[in-house]
Amino acid sequence: QVQLVESGGGWVQPGGSLRLSCTASGFTEDYFPIAWFRQAPGKEREAVSCLSNRDGRVYYVDGMKGRFTISRDNANKNTVYLQINSLKPEDTAVYYCASTTTYYYCSEYERHYSYWGQGTQVTVSA
């Protein structure tokens, strides 16, 4: 059974940084994509970034590139990180990681992913 567990969220002041972790388990192969989404209060969930474990390529949704960096633990491809720098109050959201065993490629659409973590809260305020 595939499971995804996020960690690393918390409270941070504007301008600070956080590194979120997503650890996946239960995969029979290690080249499925792992994506990050976020949902701010009162808003729909939106894609942030995705890493294709098949070829190591990374993808960012428009507007997310620059302050967000997705990477993986090369010793364990099922651990993916999201580094967020220069945090702003509008980055406050629950951050989720997601994956699929149906497709080997990334997508910015929620329906592409079958497995979701429980989310980790990121709060940015002074």
Side-chain angles (χ1 to χ4, degrees):
Q1 181 178 357
V2 173
Q3 290 188 321
L4 301 169
V5 179
E6 304 95 336
S7 62
W11 172 83
V12 64
Q13 292 185 330
S17 298
L18 278 177
R19 189 176 81 160
L20 309 181
S21 299
C22 172
T23 301
S25 61
F27 285 116
T28 56
E29 301 167 333
D30 64 359
Y31 46 85
F32 292 109
I34 296 180
W36 284 97
F37 285 74
R38 69 180 184 180
Q39 186 167 21
K43 295 187 176 181
E44 294 186 352
R45 190 154 54 184
E46 62 177 349
V48 176
S49 183
C50 181
L51 187 146
S52 169
N53 266 320
R54 191 173 194 181
D55 56 14
R57 291 186 179 182
V58 298
Y59 302 89
Y60 298 93
V61 173
D62 286 347
M64 300 296 182
K65 197 171 185 178
R67 297 188 301 114
F68 295 83
T69 303
I70 192 169
S71 62
R72 68 183 176 188
D73 182 341
N74 284 323
N76 176 8
K77 292 183 180 179
N78 288 335
T79 297
V80 172
Y81 305 104
L82 184 69
Q83 177 75 34
I84 315 173
N85 297 325
S86 303
L87 277 154
K88 305 175 181 180
E90 51 263 43
D91 294 319
T92 295
V94 178
Y95 285 73
Y96 300 90
C97 63
S99 190
T100 172
T101 54
T102 303
Y103 307 105
Y104 294 135
Y105 55 90
C106 286
S107 171
E108 65 182 284
Y109 299 106
E110 289 187 52
R111 61 179 179 267
H112 185 75
Y113 302 94
S114 305
Y115 303 100
W116 294 82
Q118 80 290 348
T120 185
Q121 176 71 48
V122 171
T123 302
V124 185
S125 67

